[in-house]
Amino acid sequence: MSIRPADTGGAPTTAPTTAPATDLTASGRAPGTPGARPEDRPADFPPVHDPSPTDHRPDRWSGELLDLDAYLARVGYDGPREPTLAVLRDLQRAHTTGIPFENVHAVLGRDLPLDLPAVEARLVHGRRGGYCFEHVLLFAAAVERLGFHVTGMIGRVSLGAPKVLPATHGLLAVTARDDDREWLCDVGFGAGPLGPIELADGAHVTYDGWQHRLERRPGAHGIDQWWLYQTAPGPSGPDDTPGRAPTPWIDRHTFTLTAQYPIDYVVGSHFVGTNARSPFVRRLFAQRMTPAAHHSLDDLTHVTTRPDGTSTTEEIAPEALDHTLREVFGIALTQEELQQLATHRETTTPPAP
């Protein structure tokens, strides 16, 4: 199985009637002349250049622009810098636990450039969090810089929803130099997993008690659908533990292996960060993942979930928001941002009955 994009070409595949079809290659080029225009084609007929713009490139994710030392310091990683599976596992763990998830920019209506220097300035040097597209672009640049093969994908978050939701979640498929399998790296969801998952039907991983599994299902037009599941909140435990109920699972998102590119993430980010129907423009969301607990903040509701599925919920007083964001989530907002969030909450929260 491979999701590395093939050469899509760009020219019609049917030869003109003035010359036998056998005189042309399948891409419309004269045999033995890559990029050439057959003599019987119109003068303005564009040549086909190799490689295709969608082919894999070692600089697709701008890894050469990344301040790698600063990024690794930000996530607290000081291990080897080589494209091995062991490094990929350690780096994903460092990233998912080192940089929080937050959407302050969207709530406040601020522009969110997704070029790597802008993302690095916010998440690395500015020590802020971000949402999925920011995380994915930063992690892709880092692993590309280290020599991994990286392919972008887009998922459709479900979380058990009965309706079709927009495909607005960035994902990565990564291959290490010492292992020819492809690995799903879901670093931008805010809730793990703490390490990569092999892109294989039935793959099941447990990192520090957090469980995830993958399923592949037949999809429309022969395009398989992949489903990522996570354990649902509630008392649970290893399924083979005597006296414990089977672990409840919830579908987290679906995706296909169709390759995506940075520009595709820009399009998805524009919807997530600006559309009035996007929940990210309505209220604050923050998440912090640790091996021992997952913290989530939905406006002023703080939920702490543990690997066994148990959770606690706490309502945060508005005046305690700054302290909670700093101490629990590692997010330090300016006083101006805190005031703007308070104003936004006051103007969008419906009055109590």
Side-chain angles (χ1 to χ4, degrees):
M1 173 181 60
S2 177
I3 63 174
R4 301 178 186 180
D7 187 350
T8 59
T13 59
T14 303
T17 56
T18 55
T22 53
D23 289 343
L24 301 176
T25 65
S27 64
R29 297 189 292 271
T33 55
R37 176 181 60 81
E39 292 301 322
D40 54 345
R41 293 293 179 94
D44 60 350
F45 190 88
V48 178
H49 297 286
D50 290 325
S52 164
T54 56
D55 276 347
H56 172 74
R57 293 192 345 228
D59 61 346
R60 171 72 67 190
W61 302 95
S62 303
E64 76 283 359
L65 301 179
L66 179 68
D67 184 342
L68 185 61
D69 290 339
Y71 167 76
L72 296 178
R74 171 73 168 104
V75 301
Y77 177 84
D78 60 358
R81 301 187 183 188
E82 53 193 16
T84 65
L85 181 56
V87 168
L88 181 64
R89 286 182 171 135
D90 290 344
L91 193 60
Q92 177 164 338
R93 183 184 185 91
H95 184 108
T96 53
T97 59
I99 303 180
F101 180 105
E102 50 117 321
N103 69 323
V104 172
H105 63 278
V107 178
L108 300 184
R110 295 179 176 177
D111 188 34
L112 184 74
L114 281 186
D115 58 283
L116 181 63
V119 173
E120 180 184 312
R122 288 192 301 274
L123 273 63
V124 177
H125 303 294
R127 303 190 66 81
R128 291 290 294 268
Y131 61 21
C132 70
F133 294 117
E134 298 171 88
H135 280 273
V136 167
L137 284 165
L138 183 60
F139 190 78
V143 294
E144 179 184 79
R145 176 72 171 272
L146 293 174
F148 292 89
H149 185 287
V150 188
T151 303
M153 302 181 296
I154 283 184
R156 191 182 304 277
V157 175
S158 52
L159 290 176
K163 62 180 180 180
V164 177
L165 298 174
T168 54
H169 179 56
L171 303 157
L172 296 173
V174 181
T175 304
R177 189 169 295 172
D178 64 338
D179 189 301
D180 60 4
R181 293 172 293 177
E182 289 177 308
W183 297 84
L184 175 67
C185 293
D186 188 6
V187 298
F189 199 82
L194 295 173
I197 306 173
E198 183 185 356
L199 264 172
D201 187 21
H204 183 173
V205 298
T206 302
Y207 290 105
D208 293 271
W210 302 98
Q211 299 187 61
H212 297 81
R213 63 184 175 90
L214 273 176
E215 284 187 6
R216 181 173 60 189
R217 303 180 187 177
H221 306 293
I223 301 175
D224 287 342
Q225 292 279 338
W226 289 79
W227 292 68
L228 179 64
Y229 289 84
Q230 66 185 32
T231 49
S236 62
D239 293 347
D240 57 355
T241 302
R244 298 302 294 271
T247 299
W249 294 94
I250 185 172
D251 50 288
R252 184 155 104 175
H253 52 65
T254 66
F255 60 95
T256 69
L257 302 188
T258 303
Q260 306 291 322
Y261 306 93
I263 189 61
D264 298 314
Y265 290 166
V266 172
V267 174
S269 178
H270 179 71
F271 173 84
V272 171
T274 65
N275 192 279
R277 298 183 63 183
S278 169
F280 288 106
V281 304
R282 300 175 187 172
R283 61 189 186 274
L284 174 67
F285 290 101
Q287 297 184 83
R288 187 66 182 264
M289 187 70 186
T290 74
H294 169 251
H295 297 275
S296 67
L297 188 68
D298 183 341
D299 193 19
L300 295 175
T301 302
H302 176 203
V303 178
T304 302
T305 305
R306 289 163 284 278
D308 65 359
T310 59
S311 63
T312 56
T313 301
E314 176 187 8
E315 294 299 322
I316 304 298
E319 58 271 18
L321 178 61
D322 184 26
H323 180 268
T324 300
L325 287 173
R326 289 175 182 270
E327 297 302 318
V328 178
F329 295 90
I331 301 171
L333 302 187
T334 65
Q335 287 302 310
E336 179 184 9
E337 288 173 322
L338 290 166
Q339 182 57 53
Q340 289 174 338
L341 286 174
T343 301
H344 179 86
R345 187 182 310 109
E346 292 170 358
T347 57
T348 58
T349 302

